[in-house]
Amino acid sequence: MDPIQTRALNALEPYTLLSKSATSPRAAADLVTQATSAPNTYVFAELLQTPNIQALRTASADYAAYLTLLEIFSWGTWSDYT
C-alpha cells in the first residue's frame, strides 16, 4: 500500500473505532461530521460500512441525511452534492 493511502486509512481509523460506540443516531451523525471535517481524512468507505453508520439509513430524515453526505464523500461527485 502506498504511503498516501496508509496515511488516509490511519486518519480514518479513530472514527471507525468510535463508530462501534455510536449507538444513537445523534452520535453516529456527529461522528460523520467529525470524520468529514478532519484534516487528512478523505477515504470514508470503511466508516460507511460500519453497522452504526448504516443504521442512519432507517433513522429519521434528519439523521439519514448524514449517511447521504458520507456516501457523497465516499463515491459521489460535485453534481451529486449540488
Side-chain angles (χ1 to χ4, degrees), residues 3-82:
I4 294 173
Q5 288 176 321
T6 301
R7 189 171 7 152
L9 290 174
N10 288 342
L12 183 65
E13 185 177 15
Y15 303 104
T16 305
L17 294 173
L18 285 170
S19 73
K20 294 175 184 176
S21 62
T23 56
S24 73
R26 174 79 262 161
D30 287 344
L31 191 59
V32 169
T33 300
Q34 292 171 19
T36 56
S37 300
N40 297 319
T41 305
Y42 52 89
V43 175
F44 300 98
E46 288 80 6
L47 181 61
L48 186 59
Q49 294 172 355
T50 62
N52 288 338
I53 299 299
Q54 281 296 310
L56 291 171
R57 189 173 311 283
T58 58
S60 71
D62 292 337
Y63 295 120
Y66 287 89
L67 180 63
T68 301
L69 174 69
L70 192 59
E71 289 172 338
I72 290 170
F73 269 71
S74 295
W75 57 71
T77 64
W78 179 250
S79 62
D80 293 332
Y81 181 72
T82 57

